[in-house]
Amino acid sequence: MSGNFVQRGDVAVLDKFTRAELAVRSGADLVIELPVAYCLSSAEIFARGAVYLLNSLGCVDEISFGSECGDMCKIISAMNSADEVSKPETVRMFRECGYTYPRAVSEILREIDKEAAEIISEPNNILAVEYLRALQYFKSDIKPFTVKRSGALHDSKETSQEFASASYIREHLESARKFVPEIWADALEASTADMKYLERAILYKIRTADDEEIWEISDSKGLDKRIYGNTAQSLDELFESVKSKNCTMAKVKRVILSLLIGISKIQIQCLPPYARVLAFNEKGKEILALTKKTKKIPVGTSLAKLGGLNCDAHYFAELESRATDIYSLAWEKIRPAEQDYRRKTELVRSY
């Protein structure tokens, strides 16, 4: 699970500890955190970090993910077709014409395989393809399984009788009860985080960061010149002034949040040095016991202990703690600092 910052380039509406506990109460057995450096990266890096963690547990048989397509054979075929036609020089030519990377690949593919082009253009299918590529990259034996997305489309502003997109729910938290389990609705109604509370912190960072610091931020190439020296007076003005034709708003927000937190290119060049457990029940406890014999990286609940294993682990742990401290400012009432080190992960009992 993503932590306190998510791949859409935003804060999570509920903190990661609350979401992990609610996930277990809703049917999950074990929740492991995807480090923030991967959460605020491209679909490729996001998927690679997630698959690496699952593969490193040594006891995972299957990975399941949603897709608009819902047909694994078609997704694999579209991925192979895209890999065959998406030469760097051709993609670069489309990018220079103002296309985002996914759309550039889709347009190149359209002349050869229209069905594959349509598949590769949908957001959940794109992430599905990256999960498959990551499985191939690590030569993993984990089997992929996809669930067809039903009802509301990704980022849809419309709802069906039963379903709403995550984007719709984020924008209409007052009516979320109709679309989420009761325990989630109660938590959402109590209090939620919002990036608007980070506005002054973000603008301060933008105004004081030097060009080298911005350049070092992951995925900032092409945006660094528009970020450096930016004099925006609000988040909306900042996002609009940094965005370009060939760059999605989600990427703009990810880069700016990465600058605020201090996520550089170095982090995503390293694979997660540990698997941190955020929540588990009795079944999850059994799975953790199983990983003692099968794991390829350390697994644990204490960030302090995990961070003390080696230099890479310390670096990731400190980055995670800093991200959570910044996230604690994204609430109407500022939350205490050092929660990543103080919060204990305990067995979630069934009710």
Side-chain angles (χ1 to χ4, degrees):
M1 189 188 77
S2 297
N4 288 325
F5 292 89
V6 294
Q7 211 253 342
R8 64 187 293 120
D10 209 335
V11 299
V13 292
L14 296 174
D15 71 83
K16 60 188 177 185
F17 302 108
T18 298
R19 282 166 32 240
E21 181 179 344
L22 290 173
V24 171
R25 290 185 179 177
S26 301
D29 296 312
L30 173 67
V31 179
I32 292 175
E33 180 178 19
L34 182 64
V36 66
Y38 299 92
C39 297
L40 289 176
S41 290
S42 65
E44 176 188 3
I45 303 301
F46 181 96
R48 186 172 294 186
V51 169
Y52 177 77
L53 283 173
L54 294 179
N55 196 54
S56 295
L57 295 180
C59 61
V60 177
D61 300 315
E62 187 175 74
I63 180 172
S64 177
F65 44 80
S67 67
E68 288 88 358
C69 176
D71 187 319
M72 186 59 68
C73 291
K74 288 183 178 181
I75 295 174
I76 293 173
S77 177
M79 176 187 68
N80 292 334
S81 296
D83 289 343
E84 288 176 9
V85 303
S86 55
K87 307 299 181 185
E89 60 274 11
T90 311
V91 174
R92 184 169 58 252
M93 184 174 63
F94 274 85
R95 296 295 302 278
E96 289 172 352
C97 293
Y99 289 76
T100 61
Y101 182 83
R103 190 184 170 195
V105 174
S106 180
E107 290 299 319
I108 296 168
L109 191 56
R110 196 172 299 280
E111 298 298 320
I112 302 167
D113 188 336
K114 289 186 177 180
E115 183 180 38
E118 290 300 321
I119 290 173
I120 217 77
S121 67
E122 296 289 350
N124 290 122
N125 291 341
I126 291 171
L127 188 54
V129 165
E130 295 303 341
Y131 283 131
L132 294 174
R133 285 177 174 151
L135 289 170
Q136 290 181 353
Y137 181 83
F138 293 116
K139 296 180 174 59
S140 175
D141 293 327
I142 296 175
K143 304 301 180 185
F145 175 78
T146 190
V147 177
K148 183 175 175 60
R149 188 182 181 104
S150 301
L153 298 175
H154 181 82
D155 278 345
S156 173
K157 304 301 181 183
E158 305 294 328
T159 66
S160 66
Q161 188 171 5
E162 297 178 85
F163 300 103
S165 70
S167 298
Y168 179 92
I169 292 173
R170 289 176 72 96
E171 293 178 12
H172 302 84
L173 292 174
E174 71 283 352
S175 58
R177 187 171 290 276
K178 295 188 293 184
F179 304 107
V180 299
E182 185 176 355
I183 56 173
W184 287 82
D186 291 343
L188 290 169
E189 288 176 1
S191 182
T192 55
D194 194 311
M195 195 149 75
K196 68 182 181 183
Y197 296 117
L198 295 179
E199 182 174 69
R200 290 176 182 268
I202 290 173
L203 294 180
Y204 165 79
K205 187 64 180 179
I206 295 294
R207 294 184 181 191
T208 57
D210 59 39
D211 55 349
E212 185 175 348
E213 182 180 7
I214 296 170
W215 187 84
E216 283 294 331
I217 295 302
S218 172
D219 215 16
S220 65
K221 185 178 179 181
L223 299 179
D224 48 351
K225 292 181 180 179
R226 291 191 292 278
I227 293 175
Y228 179 63
N230 195 294
T231 58
Q233 294 178 264
S234 69
L235 282 183
D236 289 340
E237 183 183 347
L238 174 64
F239 296 150
E240 288 299 329
S241 64
V242 174
K243 188 179 181 301
S244 65
K245 292 187 298 182
N246 62 357
C247 181
T248 64
M249 184 60 80
K251 177 179 176 179
V252 169
K253 292 180 177 181
R254 288 198 303 267
V255 169
I256 288 172
L257 284 173
S258 294
L259 177 62
L260 177 66
I261 297 168
I263 303 171
S264 71
K265 298 171 184 176
I266 297 172
Q267 279 84 36
I268 63 169
Q269 290 171 359
C270 303
L271 292 168
Y274 54 72
R276 183 193 185 188
V277 176
L278 291 180
F280 62 97
N281 59 13
E282 289 289 354
K283 179 65 176 178
K285 189 176 180 180
E286 294 175 14
I287 297 171
L288 288 174
L290 183 61
T291 64
K292 290 182 179 180
K293 297 180 180 179
T294 60
K295 65 184 180 182
K296 300 173 185 176
I297 59 174
V299 179
T301 60
S302 169
L303 187 64
K305 290 181 180 179
L306 291 170
L309 294 170
N310 52 54
C311 291
D312 284 345
H314 176 76
Y315 199 67
F316 268 76
E318 286 293 286
L319 182 67
E320 208 66 55
S321 178
R322 183 162 68 247
T324 296
D325 282 349
I326 291 171
Y327 177 77
S328 70
L329 306 176
W331 297 76
E332 185 174 12
K333 181 180 179 181
I334 295 175
R335 293 187 163 193
E338 300 183 347
Q339 287 302 292
D340 255 316
Y341 289 119
R342 298 185 180 206
R343 188 81 173 254
K344 292 184 177 180
T345 301
E346 298 178 345
L347 180 75
V348 178
R349 303 287 182 182
S350 300
Y351 289 94

